[in-house]
PDB file of all heavy atoms in Angstrom:
ATOM      1  N   SER O 102      -1.273  -7.936  14.953  1.00 98.00           N
ATOM      2  CA  SER O 102      -1.310  -6.486  14.812  1.00 98.00           C
ATOM      3  C   SER O 102      -0.420  -5.801  15.843  1.00 98.00           C
ATOM      4  O   SER O 102       0.356  -4.895  15.507  1.00 98.00           O
ATOM      5  CB  SER O 102      -2.754  -5.994  14.961  1.00 98.00           C
ATOM      6  OG  SER O 102      -2.833  -4.594  14.974  1.00 98.00           O
ATOM      7  N   LEU O 103      -0.498  -6.221  17.083  1.00 98.00           N
ATOM      8  CA  LEU O 103       0.284  -5.579  18.144  1.00 98.00           C
ATOM      9  C   LEU O 103       1.779  -5.797  17.938  1.00 98.00           C
ATOM     10  O   LEU O 103       2.584  -4.866  18.124  1.00 98.00           O
ATOM     11  CB  LEU O 103      -0.159  -6.105  19.505  1.00 98.00           C
ATOM     12  CG  LEU O 103      -1.629  -5.867  19.865  1.00 98.00           C
ATOM     13  CD1 LEU O 103      -1.913  -6.398  21.266  1.00 98.00           C
ATOM     14  CD2 LEU O 103      -2.009  -4.401  19.760  1.00 98.00           C
ATOM     15  N   HIS O 106       2.969  -3.685  14.920  1.00 98.00           N
ATOM     16  CA  HIS O 106       2.985  -2.240  15.115  1.00 98.00           C
ATOM     17  C   HIS O 106       4.014  -1.773  16.136  1.00 98.00           C
ATOM     18  O   HIS O 106       4.341  -0.581  16.178  1.00 98.00           O
ATOM     19  CB  HIS O 106       1.574  -1.750  15.449  1.00 98.00           C
ATOM     20  CG  HIS O 106       0.624  -1.945  14.301  1.00 98.00           C
ATOM     21  ND1 HIS O 106      -0.682  -2.365  14.449  1.00 98.00           N
ATOM     22  CD2 HIS O 106       0.832  -1.816  12.948  1.00 98.00           C
ATOM     23  CE1 HIS O 106      -1.234  -2.474  13.255  1.00 98.00           C
ATOM     24  NE2 HIS O 106      -0.337  -2.146  12.340  1.00 98.00           N
ATOM     25  N   PRO O 181      -0.475   8.639  20.656  1.00 98.00           N
ATOM     26  CA  PRO O 181       0.102   9.183  19.422  1.00 98.00           C
ATOM     27  C   PRO O 181      -0.163   8.294  18.213  1.00 98.00           C
ATOM     28  O   PRO O 181      -0.296   7.076  18.330  1.00 98.00           O
ATOM     29  CB  PRO O 181       1.602   9.250  19.745  1.00 98.00           C
ATOM     30  CG  PRO O 181       1.808   8.231  20.816  1.00 98.00           C
ATOM     31  CD  PRO O 181       0.555   8.233  21.633  1.00 98.00           C
ATOM     32  N   GLN O 183       0.926   6.619  14.546  1.00 98.00           N
ATOM     33  CA  GLN O 183       2.131   6.003  13.997  1.00 98.00           C
ATOM     34  C   GLN O 183       1.745   5.300  12.710  1.00 98.00           C
ATOM     35  O   GLN O 183       0.575   5.306  12.308  1.00 98.00           O
ATOM     36  CB  GLN O 183       2.709   4.986  14.996  1.00 98.00           C
ATOM     37  CG  GLN O 183       1.751   3.818  15.281  1.00 98.00           C
ATOM     38  CD  GLN O 183       2.447   2.630  15.913  1.00 98.00           C
ATOM     39  OE1 GLN O 183       2.622   2.590  17.120  1.00 98.00           O
ATOM     40  NE2 GLN O 183       2.829   1.666  15.088  1.00 98.00           N
ATOM     41  N   VAL O 185       0.553   2.304  10.780  1.00 98.00           N
ATOM     42  CA  VAL O 185      -0.127   1.046  11.078  1.00 98.00           C
ATOM     43  C   VAL O 185      -0.666   0.419   9.802  1.00 98.00           C
ATOM     44  O   VAL O 185      -0.876   1.101   8.793  1.00 98.00           O
ATOM     45  CB  VAL O 185      -1.292   1.245  12.078  1.00 98.00           C
ATOM     46  CG1 VAL O 185      -0.780   1.750  13.422  1.00 98.00           C
ATOM     47  CG2 VAL O 185      -2.367   2.163  11.516  1.00 98.00           C
ATOM     48  N   ARG O 211      -2.319   6.252  12.263  1.00 98.00           N
ATOM     49  CA  ARG O 211      -3.264   6.253  13.375  1.00 98.00           C
ATOM     50  C   ARG O 211      -2.649   5.503  14.558  1.00 98.00           C
ATOM     51  O   ARG O 211      -1.659   4.785  14.400  1.00 98.00           O
ATOM     52  CB  ARG O 211      -4.582   5.583  12.966  1.00 98.00           C
ATOM     53  CG  ARG O 211      -5.355   6.292  11.868  1.00 98.00           C
ATOM     54  CD  ARG O 211      -5.761   7.688  12.255  1.00 98.00           C
ATOM     55  NE  ARG O 211      -6.473   8.403  11.190  1.00 98.00           N
ATOM     56  CZ  ARG O 211      -6.621   9.709  11.147  1.00 98.00           C
ATOM     57  NH1 ARG O 211      -6.093  10.471  12.118  1.00 98.00           N
ATOM     58  NH2 ARG O 211      -7.268  10.286  10.155  1.00 98.00           N
ATOM     59  N   PRO O 212      -3.242   5.611  15.739  1.00 98.00           N
ATOM     60  CA  PRO O 212      -2.734   4.838  16.880  1.00 98.00           C
ATOM     61  C   PRO O 212      -2.807   3.330  16.616  1.00 98.00           C
ATOM     62  O   PRO O 212      -3.715   2.850  15.925  1.00 98.00           O
ATOM     63  CB  PRO O 212      -3.675   5.249  18.024  1.00 98.00           C
ATOM     64  CG  PRO O 212      -4.191   6.596  17.629  1.00 98.00           C
ATOM     65  CD  PRO O 212      -4.320   6.542  16.135  1.00 98.00           C
ATOM     66  N   ALA O 213      -1.876   2.597  17.193  1.00 98.00           N
ATOM     67  CA  ALA O 213      -1.843   1.147  16.984  1.00 98.00           C
ATOM     68  C   ALA O 213      -3.121   0.482  17.481  1.00 98.00           C
ATOM     69  O   ALA O 213      -3.600  -0.486  16.875  1.00 98.00           O
ATOM     70  CB  ALA O 213      -0.622   0.554  17.687  1.00 98.00           C
ATOM     71  N   ALA O 214      -3.698   0.982  18.569  1.00 98.00           N
ATOM     72  CA  ALA O 214      -4.927   0.377  19.093  1.00 98.00           C
ATOM     73  C   ALA O 214      -6.100   0.573  18.131  1.00 98.00           C
ATOM     74  O   ALA O 214      -7.030  -0.240  18.123  1.00 98.00           O
ATOM     75  CB  ALA O 214      -5.256   0.966  20.462  1.00 98.00           C
ATOM     76  N   TRP O 215      -6.075   1.630  17.340  1.00 98.00           N
ATOM     77  CA  TRP O 215      -7.125   1.812  16.331  1.00 98.00           C
ATOM     78  C   TRP O 215      -7.080   0.679  15.307  1.00 98.00           C
ATOM     79  O   TRP O 215      -8.129   0.136  14.916  1.00 98.00           O
ATOM     80  CB  TRP O 215      -6.961   3.160  15.624  1.00 98.00           C
ATOM     81  CG  TRP O 215      -7.872   3.319  14.438  1.00 98.00           C
ATOM     82  CD1 TRP O 215      -9.181   3.711  14.445  1.00 98.00           C
ATOM     83  CD2 TRP O 215      -7.550   3.058  13.062  1.00 98.00           C
ATOM     84  NE1 TRP O 215      -9.692   3.718  13.162  1.00 98.00           N
ATOM     85  CE2 TRP O 215      -8.712   3.320  12.293  1.00 98.00           C
ATOM     86  CE3 TRP O 215      -6.388   2.638  12.411  1.00 98.00           C
ATOM     87  CZ2 TRP O 215      -8.734   3.169  10.907  1.00 98.00           C
ATOM     88  CZ3 TRP O 215      -6.420   2.486  11.029  1.00 98.00           C
ATOM     89  CH2 TRP O 215      -7.576   2.748  10.290  1.00 98.00           C
ATOM     90  N   ALA O 216      -5.884   0.316  14.857  1.00 98.00           N
ATOM     91  CA  ALA O 216      -5.761  -0.776  13.884  1.00 98.00           C
ATOM     92  C   ALA O 216      -6.288  -2.080  14.469  1.00 98.00           C
ATOM     93  O   ALA O 216      -6.946  -2.861  13.769  1.00 98.00           O
ATOM     94  CB  ALA O 216      -4.304  -0.933  13.449  1.00 98.00           C
ATOM     95  N   ALA O 217      -6.015  -2.323  15.756  1.00 98.00           N
ATOM     96  CA  ALA O 217      -6.582  -3.500  16.422  1.00 98.00           C
ATOM     97  C   ALA O 217      -8.097  -3.388  16.481  1.00 98.00           C
ATOM     98  O   ALA O 217      -8.820  -4.378  16.317  1.00 98.00           O
ATOM     99  CB  ALA O 217      -5.999  -3.636  17.824  1.00 98.00           C
ATOM    100  N   GLY O 218      -8.599  -2.168  16.709  1.00 98.00           N
ATOM    101  CA  GLY O 218     -10.036  -1.955  16.747  1.00 98.00           C
ATOM    102  C   GLY O 218     -10.709  -2.256  15.421  1.00 98.00           C
ATOM    103  O   GLY O 218     -11.825  -2.804  15.389  1.00 98.00           O
TER     104      GLY O 218
END
Side-chain angles (χ1 to χ4, degrees):
S102 174
L103 300 182
H106 295 140
Q183 63 163 85
V185 297
R211 296 299 178 198
W215 171 83

